[in-house]
Amino acid sequence: MMVTTFKRIGAARLIPLAILSASVAALGFAYAAEIGFGYEPCQLCLYQRIPFAITGILALVALSGPMEGVRGGRTQTIVIALCGLVYLVSSAIAVYHVGVEQHWWASAVCGGVSPNSLTFEQMQQSLMHGEPKACDTVDWQLFGISMASYNVAYSILLAIGCFASTKLLRTAP
């Protein structure tokens, strides 16, 4: 039954659906943490969402291609390989964020300004509008591991899955 379903729908559809599902799951988790549980994202957290939005869009592009049975078309193969590259970029952003959280390096994005260098008017403005969340603050951990650290592993696994899938699409009968 499973093999019949796989052949009927084909890898050219299942792989982009898996990519779309993985991207929606990551974005859903991030928005649930923010909206549902009140965790404020820092700037790097927001940047980490962008690759998942991009891969979701790319997966939709791959799904819009013609149905070709089990064998994927060249367009699907290229789009899935691009998803793999985007997931590698996602893991690089997440590694950078983990480094900021662990104070291995300072963030150019979340560096902030020293209160001593602000004028009184600038300080008033920052108090009225609120300061953005610091990137080295970890709000949530599971087993002592931050969301950014989980994103490193998740993105690398997704990249490996995408690259393996391109090989499957090229060699499928």
Side-chain angles (χ1 to χ4, degrees):
M1 175 85 173
M2 183 80 154
V3 174
T4 305
T5 304
F6 183 77
K7 285 183 179 178
R8 190 171 46 113
I9 296 174
R13 294 289 182 245
L14 290 177
I15 294 167
L17 278 173
I19 293 169
L20 181 61
S21 298
S23 296
V24 167
L27 290 171
F29 184 81
Y31 284 112
E34 179 182 351
I35 297 166
F37 296 101
Y39 294 119
E40 181 184 356
C42 69
Q43 195 63 41
L44 286 173
C45 293
L46 296 174
Y47 287 165
Q48 288 179 86
R49 296 177 187 182
I50 295 169
F52 291 105
I54 292 170
T55 54
I57 293 167
L58 287 172
L60 289 173
V61 168
L63 284 168
S64 69
M67 177 66 103
E68 298 182 36
V70 175
R71 186 173 180 84
R74 181 181 168 130
T75 302
Q76 280 110 348
T77 304
I78 291 170
V79 168
I80 291 167
L82 281 174
C83 286
L85 291 174
V86 172
Y87 284 133
L88 287 178
V89 169
S90 176
S91 66
I93 296 168
V95 164
Y96 180 73
H97 193 182
V98 170
V100 171
E101 289 176 345
Q102 298 299 318
H103 301 109
W104 295 336
W105 47 73
S107 170
V109 175
C110 300
V113 178
S114 169
N116 297 336
S117 65
L118 295 175
T119 66
F120 181 73
E121 290 81 21
Q122 290 171 327
M123 195 172 295
Q124 269 186 321
Q125 286 293 331
S126 73
L127 289 172
M128 288 173 43
H129 297 294
E131 286 292 314
K133 182 178 177 272
C135 293
D136 62 351
T137 304
V138 179
D139 286 341
W140 181 89
Q141 292 183 1
L142 180 62
F143 309 118
I145 301 171
S146 70
M147 280 193 268
S149 299
Y150 281 110
N151 189 19
V152 172
Y154 188 61
S155 295
I156 288 173
L157 288 174
L158 289 171
I160 291 168
C162 286
F163 295 135
S165 295
T166 59
K167 183 175 181 174
L168 173 73
L169 286 173
R170 286 182 285 152
T171 60

